[in-house]
Amino acid sequence: MPVLEINAISKSYGKIRALENVSFNIPKGSVFGLLGPNGSGKTTLLSIVLDVLQANSGVYKWFGESPTYLHRKKIGSLLETPNLYHYLTAVQNLRITQTISGRGNEGDIHAVLEKVNLHERKNSRFSTYSLGMKQRLAIARAIYGLPKYVVMDEPNSNLDELGENALVKTVQALKANGSTVVITTHRPRLVGV
């Protein structure tokens, strides 16, 4: 059974047709890439399957079932723009992720901050971070607690070469752990993990 089934999803913004009858399945344990230029509908599609937007038509299923908030709790996610609390520290933001998702523990917070090279700034407010640091914290939130299902929209946005290399290693580690990873990008390097 596929992790995610997408069947004839369409979405319009007024006269602009962002998605038209998109259908595909994502197999369990895969790194699945959605490649395309900016404006091709990648973020719109992920926003629909993460229940942020509603499709005009079509359906999708997580784990063979109609989606509910319980399914959503199983999925680590990063949409295009990091949406974290600006006045909280990295540790405080990840504690909120822990509470909402039910994944991980205090030790996992420190481990994931080490993984994304933010441990030295763990007690700094999100608002003080550079764009690349904000992106790395958003990646940390998506992979926190080692979810079996990770959806990341343009995770390499605002990352320098070192950050992108670390992201590739992170995706490789998730795959080796048996996680299913969905990535949107306009740079194919991430998908060829």
Side-chain angles (χ1 to χ4, degrees), residues 165-187:
N165 289 338
L167 176 61
V168 169
K169 288 179 185 176
T170 297
V171 173
Q172 289 171 335
L174 287 166
K175 182 180 179 182
N177 190 48
S179 295
T180 304
V181 183
V182 180
I183 298 174
T184 69
T185 185
H186 56 277
R187 293 166 37 199

Side-chain angles (χ1 to χ4, degrees), residues 53-156:
L53 288 176
Q54 287 194 340
N56 296 114
S57 61
V59 295
Y60 66 95
K61 292 183 179 181
W62 282 104
F63 322 113
E65 301 174 352
S66 294
T68 69
Y69 76 96
L70 294 174
H71 295 110
R72 178 66 185 85
K73 286 180 72 166
K74 295 180 184 180
I75 303 162
S77 64
L78 161 63
L79 284 176
E80 191 173 30
T81 304
N83 188 14
L84 292 140
Y85 293 98
H86 291 265
Y87 54 89
L88 297 180
T89 67
V91 170
Q92 291 168 327
N93 269 291
L94 291 176
R95 282 184 183 139
I96 291 170
T97 299
Q98 178 185 11
T99 300
I100 292 169
S101 69
R103 292 188 310 265
N105 58 47
E106 192 71 19
D108 292 333
I109 289 173
H110 299 286
V112 78
L113 289 173
E114 287 278 358
K115 190 174 287 189
V116 299
N117 199 23
L118 282 176
H119 199 265
E120 290 183 17
R121 294 286 305 273
K122 67 183 179 188
N123 293 318
S124 298
R125 290 182 184 194
F126 182 75
S127 61
T128 68
Y129 285 2
S130 69
L131 290 174
M133 293 169 72
K134 288 176 179 179
Q135 189 70 5
R136 293 197 322 261
L137 183 56
I139 291 167
R141 182 180 63 182
I143 65 172
Y144 174 75
L146 295 175
K148 287 294 186 184
Y149 314 99
V150 180
V151 175
M152 292 191 281
D153 184 27
E154 300 284 354
N156 52 332

Side-chain angles (χ1 to χ4, degrees), residues 45-56:
L45 182 62
L46 288 191
S47 296
I48 290 169
V49 301
L50 291 174
D51 204 26
V52 175
L53 288 176
Q54 287 194 340
N56 296 114

